[in-house]
Amino acid sequence: LYHGGIDVLLDTIDSPIRIFNDDTSSIEYTISIKNDDLNDLYVFDPDSVESEIFHWYNNGPAFSSINTYENYDSRYKKTNKPNAWDNNWYTLLQAGGSMRRTIRLRGYPTIPPGRYLIQLRYSCPREGLNKNIRESLLGRYWIGQVRSNLVILTLATSKSR
């Protein structure tokens, strides 16, 4: 039985990654989630869950300096780990379908000017999703972790963009 899962793409053509540098910096990024499976899948949806809960499971894109090899990622977790998952956090994505989401995340250190490799690890809650729950009549719940495409970004200034 083939299970293609999902593919996550950092969209930088229509929606460039925006960096808002401050004492605690924020970034805004857009992702496309595509269902590569033959079945409809319930996918953890950033628009269906509070930002803090979404970012408990997804730290946001990691920035790796091409010049200095330093890494910059979100280190801010305001909330405690959720006690249980909620089916309202998921959206049913038709086989072959996709959805696009723009996300804003704070908690980054100031990101200095330079060239960066950027990648996102996308994951979802797993606790409490036993097999009876994961496989519903309407679709399966996607669980796991997947990496996005690798993006190169040149940040010309450390001021807000």
Side-chain angles (χ1 to χ4, degrees):
L1 190 57
Y2 174 74
H3 292 299
I6 65 169
D7 187 33
V8 175
L9 176 73
L10 272 169
D11 183 357
T12 57
I13 295 172
D14 295 330
S15 303
I17 295 171
R18 297 177 61 201
I19 300 169
F20 305 92
N21 272 324
D22 207 342
D23 292 340
T24 299
S25 298
S26 301
I27 66 162
E28 186 175 274
Y29 62 101
T30 300
I31 60 173
S32 293
I33 303 170
K34 182 174 186 250
N35 180 354
D36 288 334
D37 209 285
L38 298 175
N39 300 108
D40 296 344
L41 295 176
Y42 285 97
V43 177
F44 191 46
D45 185 351
D47 281 1
S48 298
V49 65
E50 293 175 29
S51 176
E52 295 296 331
I53 292 174
F54 179 76
H55 287 107
W56 176 263
Y57 297 101
N58 296 278
N59 286 335
F63 292 72
S64 192
S65 172
I66 293 172
N67 301 327
T68 66
Y69 306 107
E70 289 187 63
N71 293 316
Y72 301 88
D73 54 10
S74 176
R75 298 191 174 121
Y76 176 76
K77 297 238 190 238
K78 182 178 174 183
T79 189
N80 292 325
K81 183 178 181 180
N83 291 330
W85 73 282
D86 186 330
N87 65 334
N88 293 317
W89 296 349
Y90 292 79
T91 294
L92 185 61
L93 193 55
Q94 302 296 315
S98 64
M99 64 182 183
R100 195 166 181 248
R101 300 293 189 253
T102 298
I103 302 160
R104 187 164 183 157
L105 173 62
R106 68 180 205 174
Y108 284 81
T110 299
I111 302 173
R115 292 188 59 188
Y116 294 91
L117 291 174
I118 304 169
Q119 190 171 48
L120 170 73
R121 271 192 240 150
Y122 182 86
S123 21
C124 65
R126 295 181 180 129
E127 302 84 12
L129 278 169
N130 62 42
K131 189 173 182 174
N132 293 338
I133 295 171
R134 284 193 321 257
E135 297 179 359
S136 79
L137 294 175
L138 297 177
R140 289 183 302 106
Y141 282 82
W142 178 83
I143 59 171
Q145 185 179 75
V146 65
R147 290 178 189 249
S148 73
N149 55 317
L150 202 56
V151 172
I152 296 176
L153 173 77
T154 300
L155 180 59
T157 178
S158 62
K159 294 183 180 182
S160 298
R161 298 175 12 143

